[in-house]
mmCIF file with all atom_site columns, all heavy atoms in Angstrom:
data_model
loop_
_atom_site.group_PDB
_atom_site.id
_atom_site.type_symbol
_atom_site.label_atom_id
_atom_site.label_alt_id
_atom_site.label_comp_id
_atom_site.label_asym_id
_atom_site.label_entity_id
_atom_site.label_seq_id
_atom_site.pdbx_PDB_ins_code
_atom_site.Cartn_x
_atom_site.Cartn_y
_atom_site.Cartn_z
_atom_site.occupancy
_atom_site.B_iso_or_equiv
_atom_site.pdbx_formal_charge
_atom_site.auth_seq_id
_atom_site.auth_comp_id
_atom_site.auth_asym_id
_atom_site.auth_atom_id
_atom_site.pdbx_PDB_model_num
ATOM 1   N N   . ALA V 1 1  ? -2.462 -10.194 13.599 1.00 63.00 ? 1  ALA V N   1
ATOM 2   C CA  . ALA V 1 1  ? -1.609 -11.363 13.832 1.00 63.00 ? 1  ALA V CA  1
ATOM 3   C C   . ALA V 1 1  ? -1.590 -12.285 12.626 1.00 63.00 ? 1  ALA V C   1
ATOM 4   O O   . ALA V 1 1  ? -0.524 -12.726 12.175 1.00 63.00 ? 1  ALA V O   1
ATOM 5   C CB  . ALA V 1 1  ? -2.105 -12.114 15.073 1.00 63.00 ? 1  ALA V CB  1
ATOM 6   N N   . ILE V 1 2  ? -2.773 -12.571 12.066 1.00 63.00 ? 2  ILE V N   1
ATOM 7   C CA  . ILE V 1 2  ? -2.836 -13.503 10.940 1.00 63.00 ? 2  ILE V CA  1
ATOM 8   C C   . ILE V 1 2  ? -2.211 -12.889 9.698  1.00 63.00 ? 2  ILE V C   1
ATOM 9   O O   . ILE V 1 2  ? -1.373 -13.508 9.030  1.00 63.00 ? 2  ILE V O   1
ATOM 10  C CB  . ILE V 1 2  ? -4.293 -13.915 10.679 1.00 63.00 ? 2  ILE V CB  1
ATOM 11  C CG1 . ILE V 1 2  ? -4.834 -14.716 11.870 1.00 63.00 ? 2  ILE V CG1 1
ATOM 12  C CG2 . ILE V 1 2  ? -4.401 -14.742 9.407  1.00 63.00 ? 2  ILE V CG2 1
ATOM 13  C CD1 . ILE V 1 2  ? -6.283 -15.126 11.731 1.00 63.00 ? 2  ILE V CD1 1
ATOM 14  N N   . ALA V 1 3  ? -2.625 -11.660 9.377  1.00 62.00 ? 3  ALA V N   1
ATOM 15  C CA  . ALA V 1 3  ? -2.103 -11.027 8.165  1.00 62.00 ? 3  ALA V CA  1
ATOM 16  C C   . ALA V 1 3  ? -0.593 -10.816 8.255  1.00 62.00 ? 3  ALA V C   1
ATOM 17  O O   . ALA V 1 3  ? 0.140  -11.071 7.296  1.00 62.00 ? 3  ALA V O   1
ATOM 18  C CB  . ALA V 1 3  ? -2.818 -9.690  7.936  1.00 62.00 ? 3  ALA V CB  1
ATOM 19  N N   . ARG V 1 4  ? -0.116 -10.366 9.424  1.00 63.00 ? 4  ARG V N   1
ATOM 20  C CA  . ARG V 1 4  ? 1.318  -10.130 9.563  1.00 63.00 ? 4  ARG V CA  1
ATOM 21  C C   . ARG V 1 4  ? 2.096  -11.441 9.427  1.00 63.00 ? 4  ARG V C   1
ATOM 22  O O   . ARG V 1 4  ? 3.152  -11.497 8.798  1.00 63.00 ? 4  ARG V O   1
ATOM 23  C CB  . ARG V 1 4  ? 1.593  -9.482  10.920 1.00 63.00 ? 4  ARG V CB  1
ATOM 24  C CG  . ARG V 1 4  ? 3.068  -9.291  11.240 1.00 63.00 ? 4  ARG V CG  1
ATOM 25  C CD  . ARG V 1 4  ? 3.720  -8.335  10.247 1.00 63.00 ? 4  ARG V CD  1
ATOM 26  N NE  . ARG V 1 4  ? 3.108  -7.038  10.285 1.00 63.00 ? 4  ARG V NE  1
ATOM 27  C CZ  . ARG V 1 4  ? 3.456  -6.074  11.130 1.00 63.00 ? 4  ARG V CZ  1
ATOM 28  N NH1 . ARG V 1 4  ? 4.428  -6.305  12.017 1.00 63.00 ? 4  ARG V NH1 1
ATOM 29  N NH2 . ARG V 1 4  ? 2.871  -4.905  11.088 1.00 63.00 ? 4  ARG V NH2 1
ATOM 30  N N   . ARG V 1 5  ? 1.587  -12.498 10.057 1.00 65.00 ? 5  ARG V N   1
ATOM 31  C CA  . ARG V 1 5  ? 2.273  -13.792 9.964  1.00 65.00 ? 5  ARG V CA  1
ATOM 32  C C   . ARG V 1 5  ? 2.278  -14.313 8.528  1.00 65.00 ? 5  ARG V C   1
ATOM 33  O O   . ARG V 1 5  ? 3.269  -14.867 8.054  1.00 65.00 ? 5  ARG V O   1
ATOM 34  C CB  . ARG V 1 5  ? 1.604  -14.799 10.893 1.00 65.00 ? 5  ARG V CB  1
ATOM 35  C CG  . ARG V 1 5  ? 2.314  -16.141 10.969 1.00 65.00 ? 5  ARG V CG  1
ATOM 36  C CD  . ARG V 1 5  ? 1.679  -17.016 12.022 1.00 65.00 ? 5  ARG V CD  1
ATOM 37  N NE  . ARG V 1 5  ? 1.894  -16.467 13.334 1.00 65.00 ? 5  ARG V NE  1
ATOM 38  C CZ  . ARG V 1 5  ? 2.965  -16.705 14.086 1.00 65.00 ? 5  ARG V CZ  1
ATOM 39  N NH1 . ARG V 1 5  ? 3.927  -17.489 13.615 1.00 65.00 ? 5  ARG V NH1 1
ATOM 40  N NH2 . ARG V 1 5  ? 3.090  -16.184 15.271 1.00 65.00 ? 5  ARG V NH2 1
ATOM 41  N N   . LEU V 1 6  ? 1.150  -14.138 7.837  1.00 61.00 ? 6  LEU V N   1
ATOM 42  C CA  . LEU V 1 6  ? 1.086  -14.622 6.456  1.00 61.00 ? 6  LEU V CA  1
ATOM 43  C C   . LEU V 1 6  ? 1.990  -13.811 5.536  1.00 61.00 ? 6  LEU V C   1
ATOM 44  O O   . LEU V 1 6  ? 2.611  -14.370 4.626  1.00 61.00 ? 6  LEU V O   1
ATOM 45  C CB  . LEU V 1 6  ? -0.364 -14.549 5.958  1.00 61.00 ? 6  LEU V CB  1
ATOM 46  C CG  . LEU V 1 6  ? -1.346 -15.556 6.577  1.00 61.00 ? 6  LEU V CG  1
ATOM 47  C CD1 . LEU V 1 6  ? -2.757 -15.280 6.088  1.00 61.00 ? 6  LEU V CD1 1
ATOM 48  C CD2 . LEU V 1 6  ? -0.949 -16.990 6.235  1.00 61.00 ? 6  LEU V CD2 1
ATOM 49  N N   . VAL V 1 7  ? 2.058  -12.501 5.774  1.00 63.00 ? 7  VAL V N   1
ATOM 50  C CA  . VAL V 1 7  ? 2.832  -11.647 4.883  1.00 63.00 ? 7  VAL V CA  1
ATOM 51  C C   . VAL V 1 7  ? 4.324  -11.744 5.168  1.00 63.00 ? 7  VAL V C   1
ATOM 52  O O   . VAL V 1 7  ? 5.153  -11.791 4.251  1.00 63.00 ? 7  VAL V O   1
ATOM 53  C CB  . VAL V 1 7  ? 2.349  -10.181 5.009  1.00 63.00 ? 7  VAL V CB  1
ATOM 54  C CG1 . VAL V 1 7  ? 3.296  -9.242  4.274  1.00 63.00 ? 7  VAL V CG1 1
ATOM 55  C CG2 . VAL V 1 7  ? 0.932  -10.056 4.450  1.00 63.00 ? 7  VAL V CG2 1
ATOM 56  N N   . ASP V 1 8  ? 4.686  -11.791 6.452  1.00 63.00 ? 8  ASP V N   1
ATOM 57  C CA  . ASP V 1 8  ? 6.103  -11.732 6.809  1.00 63.00 ? 8  ASP V CA  1
ATOM 58  C C   . ASP V 1 8  ? 6.846  -13.010 6.459  1.00 63.00 ? 8  ASP V C   1
ATOM 59  O O   . ASP V 1 8  ? 8.026  -12.966 6.121  1.00 63.00 ? 8  ASP V O   1
ATOM 60  C CB  . ASP V 1 8  ? 6.250  -11.441 8.306  1.00 63.00 ? 8  ASP V CB  1
ATOM 61  C CG  . ASP V 1 8  ? 5.860  -10.013 8.649  1.00 63.00 ? 8  ASP V CG  1
ATOM 62  O OD1 . ASP V 1 8  ? 5.688  -9.227  7.713  1.00 63.00 ? 8  ASP V OD1 1
ATOM 63  O OD2 . ASP V 1 8  ? 5.713  -9.698  9.848  1.00 63.00 ? 8  ASP V OD2 1
ATOM 64  N N   . ARG V 1 9  ? 6.191  -14.127 6.562  1.00 69.00 ? 9  ARG V N   1
ATOM 65  C CA  . ARG V 1 9  ? 6.888  -15.392 6.317  1.00 69.00 ? 9  ARG V CA  1
ATOM 66  C C   . ARG V 1 9  ? 6.823  -15.766 4.840  1.00 69.00 ? 9  ARG V C   1
ATOM 67  O O   . ARG V 1 9  ? 5.745  -15.719 4.231  1.00 69.00 ? 9  ARG V O   1
ATOM 68  C CB  . ARG V 1 9  ? 6.272  -16.512 7.150  1.00 69.00 ? 9  ARG V CB  1
ATOM 69  C CG  . ARG V 1 9  ? 6.366  -16.283 8.640  1.00 69.00 ? 9  ARG V CG  1
ATOM 70  C CD  . ARG V 1 9  ? 5.954  -17.500 9.417  1.00 69.00 ? 9  ARG V CD  1
ATOM 71  N NE  . ARG V 1 9  ? 6.828  -18.638 9.134  1.00 69.00 ? 9  ARG V NE  1
ATOM 72  C CZ  . ARG V 1 9  ? 6.671  -19.836 9.697  1.00 69.00 ? 9  ARG V CZ  1
ATOM 73  N NH1 . ARG V 1 9  ? 5.685  -20.043 10.533 1.00 69.00 ? 9  ARG V NH1 1
ATOM 74  N NH2 . ARG V 1 9  ? 7.493  -20.821 9.395  1.00 69.00 ? 9  ARG V NH2 1
ATOM 75  N N   . PRO V 1 10 ? 7.948  -16.143 4.223  1.00 70.00 ? 10 PRO V N   1
ATOM 76  C CA  . PRO V 1 10 ? 7.933  -16.584 2.813  1.00 70.00 ? 10 PRO V CA  1
ATOM 77  C C   . PRO V 1 10 ? 7.191  -17.909 2.667  1.00 70.00 ? 10 PRO V C   1
ATOM 78  O O   . PRO V 1 10 ? 7.266  -18.775 3.534  1.00 70.00 ? 10 PRO V O   1
ATOM 79  C CB  . PRO V 1 10 ? 9.418  -16.730 2.482  1.00 70.00 ? 10 PRO V CB  1
ATOM 80  C CG  . PRO V 1 10 ? 10.088 -16.969 3.800  1.00 70.00 ? 10 PRO V CG  1
ATOM 81  C CD  . PRO V 1 10 ? 9.303  -16.189 4.805  1.00 70.00 ? 10 PRO V CD  1
ATOM 82  N N   . TRP V 1 11 ? 6.474  -18.039 1.581  1.00 67.00 ? 11 TRP V N   1
ATOM 83  C CA  . TRP V 1 11 ? 5.687  -19.249 1.344  1.00 67.00 ? 11 TRP V CA  1
ATOM 84  C C   . TRP V 1 11 ? 6.478  -20.336 0.626  1.00 67.00 ? 11 TRP V C   1
ATOM 85  O O   . TRP V 1 11 ? 6.168  -21.513 0.743  1.00 67.00 ? 11 TRP V O   1
ATOM 86  C CB  . TRP V 1 11 ? 4.450  -18.887 0.515  1.00 67.00 ? 11 TRP V CB  1
ATOM 87  C CG  . TRP V 1 11 ? 3.352  -18.292 1.336  1.00 67.00 ? 11 TRP V CG  1
ATOM 88  C CD1 . TRP V 1 11 ? 3.454  -17.775 2.590  1.00 67.00 ? 11 TRP V CD1 1
ATOM 89  C CD2 . TRP V 1 11 ? 1.986  -18.153 0.950  1.00 67.00 ? 11 TRP V CD2 1
ATOM 90  N NE1 . TRP V 1 11 ? 2.250  -17.312 3.016  1.00 67.00 ? 11 TRP V NE1 1
ATOM 91  C CE2 . TRP V 1 11 ? 1.321  -17.527 2.025  1.00 67.00 ? 11 TRP V CE2 1
ATOM 92  C CE3 . TRP V 1 11 ? 1.274  -18.467 -0.194 1.00 67.00 ? 11 TRP V CE3 1
ATOM 93  C CZ2 . TRP V 1 11 ? -0.035 -17.242 1.984  1.00 67.00 ? 11 TRP V CZ2 1
ATOM 94  C CZ3 . TRP V 1 11 ? -0.079 -18.175 -0.242 1.00 67.00 ? 11 TRP V CZ3 1
ATOM 95  C CH2 . TRP V 1 11 ? -0.730 -17.578 0.842  1.00 67.00 ? 11 TRP V CH2 1
ATOM 96  N N   . GLY V 1 12 ? 7.468  -19.922 -0.163 1.00 74.00 ? 12 GLY V N   1
ATOM 97  C CA  . GLY V 1 12 ? 8.157  -20.880 -1.019 1.00 74.00 ? 12 GLY V CA  1
ATOM 98  C C   . GLY V 1 12 ? 8.760  -22.064 -0.289 1.00 74.00 ? 12 GLY V C   1
ATOM 99  O O   . GLY V 1 12 ? 8.365  -23.225 -0.518 1.00 74.00 ? 12 GLY V O   1
ATOM 100 N N   . PRO V 1 13 ? 9.734  -21.871 0.609  1.00 78.00 ? 13 PRO V N   1
ATOM 101 C CA  . PRO V 1 13 ? 10.367 -23.000 1.285  1.00 78.00 ? 13 PRO V CA  1
ATOM 102 C C   . PRO V 1 13 ? 9.403  -23.891 2.070  1.00 78.00 ? 13 PRO V C   1
ATOM 103 O O   . PRO V 1 13 ? 9.490  -25.114 1.957  1.00 78.00 ? 13 PRO V O   1
ATOM 104 C CB  . PRO V 1 13 ? 11.392 -22.315 2.204  1.00 78.00 ? 13 PRO V CB  1
ATOM 105 C CG  . PRO V 1 13 ? 11.711 -21.028 1.505  1.00 78.00 ? 13 PRO V CG  1
ATOM 106 C CD  . PRO V 1 13 ? 10.433 -20.595 0.877  1.00 78.00 ? 13 PRO V CD  1
ATOM 107 N N   . PRO V 1 14 ? 8.475  -23.329 2.869  1.00 79.00 ? 14 PRO V N   1
ATOM 108 C CA  . PRO V 1 14 ? 7.547  -24.219 3.573  1.00 79.00 ? 14 PRO V CA  1
ATOM 109 C C   . PRO V 1 14 ? 6.681  -25.047 2.615  1.00 79.00 ? 14 PRO V C   1
ATOM 110 O O   . PRO V 1 14 ? 6.477  -26.239 2.836  1.00 79.00 ? 14 PRO V O   1
ATOM 111 C CB  . PRO V 1 14 ? 6.690  -23.260 4.406  1.00 79.00 ? 14 PRO V CB  1
ATOM 112 C CG  . PRO V 1 14 ? 7.502  -22.031 4.548  1.00 79.00 ? 14 PRO V CG  1
ATOM 113 C CD  . PRO V 1 14 ? 8.275  -21.923 3.279  1.00 79.00 ? 14 PRO V CD  1
ATOM 114 N N   . LEU V 1 15 ? 6.170  -24.399 1.568  1.00 77.00 ? 15 LEU V N   1
ATOM 115 C CA  . LEU V 1 15 ? 5.368  -25.148 0.600  1.00 77.00 ? 15 LEU V CA  1
ATOM 116 C C   . LEU V 1 15 ? 6.214  -26.204 -0.106 1.00 77.00 ? 15 LEU V C   1
ATOM 117 O O   . LEU V 1 15 ? 5.737  -27.316 -0.385 1.00 77.00 ? 15 LEU V O   1
ATOM 118 C CB  . LEU V 1 15 ? 4.758  -24.186 -0.421 1.00 77.00 ? 15 LEU V CB  1
ATOM 119 C CG  . LEU V 1 15 ? 3.619  -23.296 0.079  1.00 77.00 ? 15 LEU V CG  1
ATOM 120 C CD1 . LEU V 1 15 ? 3.177  -22.340 -1.025 1.00 77.00 ? 15 LEU V CD1 1
ATOM 121 C CD2 . LEU V 1 15 ? 2.440  -24.147 0.529  1.00 77.00 ? 15 LEU V CD2 1
ATOM 122 N N   . GLY V 1 16 ? 7.477  -25.865 -0.421 1.00 78.00 ? 16 GLY V N   1
ATOM 123 C CA  . GLY V 1 16 ? 8.355  -26.830 -1.056 1.00 78.00 ? 16 GLY V CA  1
ATOM 124 C C   . GLY V 1 16 ? 8.598  -28.044 -0.178 1.00 78.00 ? 16 GLY V C   1
ATOM 125 O O   . GLY V 1 16 ? 8.570  -29.191 -0.651 1.00 78.00 ? 16 GLY V O   1
ATOM 126 N N   . ARG V 1 17 ? 8.852  -27.804 1.122  1.00 83.00 ? 17 ARG V N   1
ATOM 127 C CA  . ARG V 1 17 ? 9.056  -28.929 2.046  1.00 83.00 ? 17 ARG V CA  1
ATOM 128 C C   . ARG V 1 17 ? 7.801  -29.762 2.186  1.00 83.00 ? 17 ARG V C   1
ATOM 129 O O   . ARG V 1 17 ? 7.854  -31.002 2.221  1.00 83.00 ? 17 ARG V O   1
ATOM 130 C CB  . ARG V 1 17 ? 9.507  -28.391 3.404  1.00 83.00 ? 17 ARG V CB  1
ATOM 131 C CG  . ARG V 1 17 ? 10.935 -27.877 3.413  1.00 83.00 ? 17 ARG V CG  1
ATOM 132 C CD  . ARG V 1 17 ? 11.414 -27.617 4.835  1.00 83.00 ? 17 ARG V CD  1
ATOM 133 N NE  . ARG V 1 17 ? 10.664 -26.526 5.457  1.00 83.00 ? 17 ARG V NE  1
ATOM 134 C CZ  . ARG V 1 17 ? 11.021 -25.252 5.386  1.00 83.00 ? 17 ARG V CZ  1
ATOM 135 N NH1 . ARG V 1 17 ? 12.127 -24.912 4.710  1.00 83.00 ? 17 ARG V NH1 1
ATOM 136 N NH2 . ARG V 1 17 ? 10.313 -24.316 5.973  1.00 83.00 ? 17 ARG V NH2 1
ATOM 137 N N   . LEU V 1 18 ? 6.649  -29.097 2.272  1.00 80.00 ? 18 LEU V N   1
ATOM 138 C CA  . LEU V 1 18 ? 5.394  -29.821 2.397  1.00 80.00 ? 18 LEU V CA  1
ATOM 139 C C   . LEU V 1 18 ? 5.109  -30.657 1.148  1.00 80.00 ? 18 LEU V C   1
ATOM 140 O O   . LEU V 1 18 ? 4.747  -31.840 1.242  1.00 80.00 ? 18 LEU V O   1
ATOM 141 C CB  . LEU V 1 18 ? 4.249  -28.834 2.646  1.00 80.00 ? 18 LEU V CB  1
ATOM 142 C CG  . LEU V 1 18 ? 2.839  -29.434 2.738  1.00 80.00 ? 18 LEU V CG  1
ATOM 143 C CD1 . LEU V 1 18 ? 2.752  -30.421 3.897  1.00 80.00 ? 18 LEU V CD1 1
ATOM 144 C CD2 . LEU V 1 18 ? 1.799  -28.332 2.896  1.00 80.00 ? 18 LEU V CD2 1
ATOM 145 N N   . LEU V 1 19 ? 5.299  -30.048 -0.020 1.00 75.00 ? 19 LEU V N   1
ATOM 146 C CA  . LEU V 1 19 ? 5.061  -30.774 -1.266 1.00 75.00 ? 19 LEU V CA  1
ATOM 147 C C   . LEU V 1 19 ? 6.042  -31.933 -1.410 1.00 75.00 ? 19 LEU V C   1
ATOM 148 O O   . LEU V 1 19 ? 5.667  -33.034 -1.850 1.00 75.00 ? 19 LEU V O   1
ATOM 149 C CB  . LEU V 1 19 ? 5.186  -29.813 -2.450 1.00 75.00 ? 19 LEU V CB  1
ATOM 150 C CG  . LEU V 1 19 ? 4.944  -30.415 -3.846 1.00 75.00 ? 19 LEU V CG  1
ATOM 151 C CD1 . LEU V 1 19 ? 3.567  -31.067 -3.921 1.00 75.00 ? 19 LEU V CD1 1
ATOM 152 C CD2 . LEU V 1 19 ? 5.094  -29.341 -4.914 1.00 75.00 ? 19 LEU V CD2 1
ATOM 153 N N   . GLY V 1 20 ? 7.299  -31.722 -1.017 1.00 78.00 ? 20 GLY V N   1
ATOM 154 C CA  . GLY V 1 20 ? 8.276  -32.793 -1.086 1.00 78.00 ? 20 GLY V CA  1
ATOM 155 C C   . GLY V 1 20 ? 7.910  -33.958 -0.191 1.00 78.00 ? 20 GLY V C   1
ATOM 156 O O   . GLY V 1 20 ? 8.067  -35.130 -0.576 1.00 78.00 ? 20 GLY V O   1
ATOM 157 N N   . GLN V 1 21 ? 7.392  -33.672 1.006  1.00 81.00 ? 21 GLN V N   1
ATOM 158 C CA  . GLN V 1 21 ? 6.973  -34.738 1.911  1.00 81.00 ? 21 GLN V CA  1
ATOM 159 C C   . GLN V 1 21 ? 5.773  -35.497 1.359  1.00 81.00 ? 21 GLN V C   1
ATOM 160 O O   . GLN V 1 21 ? 5.697  -36.729 1.434  1.00 81.00 ? 21 GLN V O   1
ATOM 161 C CB  . GLN V 1 21 ? 6.629  -34.143 3.282  1.00 81.00 ? 21 GLN V CB  1
ATOM 162 C CG  . GLN V 1 21 ? 6.306  -35.175 4.349  1.00 81.00 ? 21 GLN V CG  1
ATOM 163 C CD  . GLN V 1 21 ? 7.471  -36.080 4.652  1.00 81.00 ? 21 GLN V CD  1
ATOM 164 O OE1 . GLN V 1 21 ? 8.606  -35.616 4.785  1.00 81.00 ? 21 GLN V OE1 1
ATOM 165 N NE2 . GLN V 1 21 ? 7.225  -37.382 4.744  1.00 81.00 ? 21 GLN V NE2 1
ATOM 166 N N   . VAL V 1 22 ? 4.843  -34.747 0.756  1.00 76.00 ? 22 VAL V N   1
ATOM 167 C CA  . VAL V 1 22 ? 3.670  -35.393 0.147  1.00 76.00 ? 22 VAL V CA  1
ATOM 168 C C   . VAL V 1 22 ? 4.094  -36.311 -0.990 1.00 76.00 ? 22 VAL V C   1
ATOM 169 O O   . VAL V 1 22 ? 3.605  -37.446 -1.124 1.00 76.00 ? 22 VAL V O   1
ATOM 170 C CB  . VAL V 1 22 ? 2.681  -34.311 -0.351 1.00 76.00 ? 22 VAL V CB  1
ATOM 171 C CG1 . VAL V 1 22 ? 1.582  -34.960 -1.205 1.00 76.00 ? 22 VAL V CG1 1
ATOM 172 C CG2 . VAL V 1 22 ? 2.063  -33.567 0.817  1.00 76.00 ? 22 VAL V CG2 1
ATOM 173 N N   . LEU V 1 23 ? 5.010  -35.847 -1.827 1.00 73.00 ? 23 LEU V N   1
ATOM 174 C CA  . LEU V 1 23 ? 5.486  -36.659 -2.945 1.00 73.00 ? 23 LEU V CA  1
ATOM 175 C C   . LEU V 1 23 ? 6.245  -37.883 -2.449 1.00 73.00 ? 23 LEU V C   1
ATOM 176 O O   . LEU V 1 23 ? 6.122  -38.985 -3.010 1.00 73.00 ? 23 LEU V O   1
ATOM 177 C CB  . LEU V 1 23 ? 6.382  -35.820 -3.851 1.00 73.00 ? 23 LEU V CB  1
ATOM 178 C CG  . LEU V 1 23 ? 5.696  -34.650 -4.577 1.00 73.00 ? 23 LEU V CG  1
ATOM 179 C CD1 . LEU V 1 23 ? 6.723  -33.791 -5.299 1.00 73.00 ? 23 LEU V CD1 1
ATOM 180 C CD2 . LEU V 1 23 ? 4.646  -35.156 -5.549 1.00 73.00 ? 23 LEU V CD2 1
ATOM 181 N N   . ALA V 1 24 ? 7.071  -37.706 -1.384 1.00 77.00 ? 24 ALA V N   1
ATOM 182 C CA  . ALA V 1 24 ? 7.823  -38.835 -0.848 1.00 77.00 ? 24 ALA V CA  1
ATOM 183 C C   . ALA V 1 24 ? 6.899  -39.900 -0.272 1.00 77.00 ? 24 ALA V C   1
ATOM 184 O O   . ALA V 1 24 ? 7.168  -41.105 -0.393 1.00 77.00 ? 24 ALA V O   1
ATOM 185 C CB  . ALA V 1 24 ? 8.798  -38.346 0.217  1.00 77.00 ? 24 ALA V CB  1
ATOM 186 N N   . ASP V 1 25 ? 5.785  -39.467 0.344  1.00 77.00 ? 25 ASP V N   1
ATOM 187 C CA  . ASP V 1 25 ? 4.829  -40.418 0.919  1.00 77.00 ? 25 ASP V CA  1
ATOM 188 C C   . ASP V 1 25 ? 3.902  -41.014 -0.132 1.00 77.00 ? 25 ASP V C   1
ATOM 189 O O   . ASP V 1 25 ? 3.180  -41.979 0.158  1.00 77.00 ? 25 ASP V O   1
ATOM 190 C CB  . ASP V 1 25 ? 3.996  -39.736 2.007  1.00 77.00 ? 25 ASP V CB  1
ATOM 191 C CG  . ASP V 1 25 ? 4.854  -39.303 3.187  1.00 77.00 ? 25 ASP V CG  1
ATOM 192 O OD1 . ASP V 1 25 ? 5.960  -39.864 3.343  1.00 77.00 ? 25 ASP V OD1 1
ATOM 193 O OD2 . ASP V 1 25 ? 4.426  -38.401 3.943  1.00 77.00 ? 25 ASP V OD2 1
ATOM 194 N N   . GLY V 1 26 ? 3.857  -40.422 -1.345 1.00 76.00 ? 26 GLY V N   1
ATOM 195 C CA  . GLY V 1 26 ? 2.957  -40.902 -2.389 1.00 76.00 ? 26 GLY V CA  1
ATOM 196 C C   . GLY V 1 26 ? 1.515  -40.512 -2.167 1.00 76.00 ? 26 GLY V C   1
ATOM 197 O O   . GLY V 1 26 ? 0.610  -41.072 -2.801 1.00 76.00 ? 26 GLY V O   1
ATOM 198 N N   . ALA V 1 27 ? 1.287  -39.551 -1.271 1.00 73.00 ? 27 ALA V N   1
ATOM 199 C CA  . ALA V 1 27 ? -0.086 -39.146 -0.974 1.00 73.00 ? 27 ALA V CA  1
ATOM 200 C C   . ALA V 1 27 ? -0.743 -38.427 -2.140 1.00 73.00 ? 27 ALA V C   1
ATOM 201 O O   . ALA V 1 27 ? -1.974 -38.303 -2.181 1.00 73.00 ? 27 ALA V O   1
ATOM 202 C CB  . ALA V 1 27 ? -0.105 -38.252 0.274  1.00 73.00 ? 27 ALA V CB  1
#
C-alpha cells in the first residue's frame, strides 16, 4: 500500500503546492 501509493502518485505538483503555501505563509 505504501510503496504503491508513493510510486503511483507524482511528487512534483503536490510538493509544488506545498512549497508555494509555505512561501506564501512565510514559514
Side-chain angles (χ1 to χ4, degrees):
I2 295 178
R4 175 63 61 86
R5 185 174 293 273
L6 289 175
V7 170
D8 289 349
R9 298 189 62 180
W11 280 17
L15 288 177
R17 287 191 294 270
L18 177 61
L19 181 57
Q21 186 63 44
V22 170
L23 295 173
D25 296 339

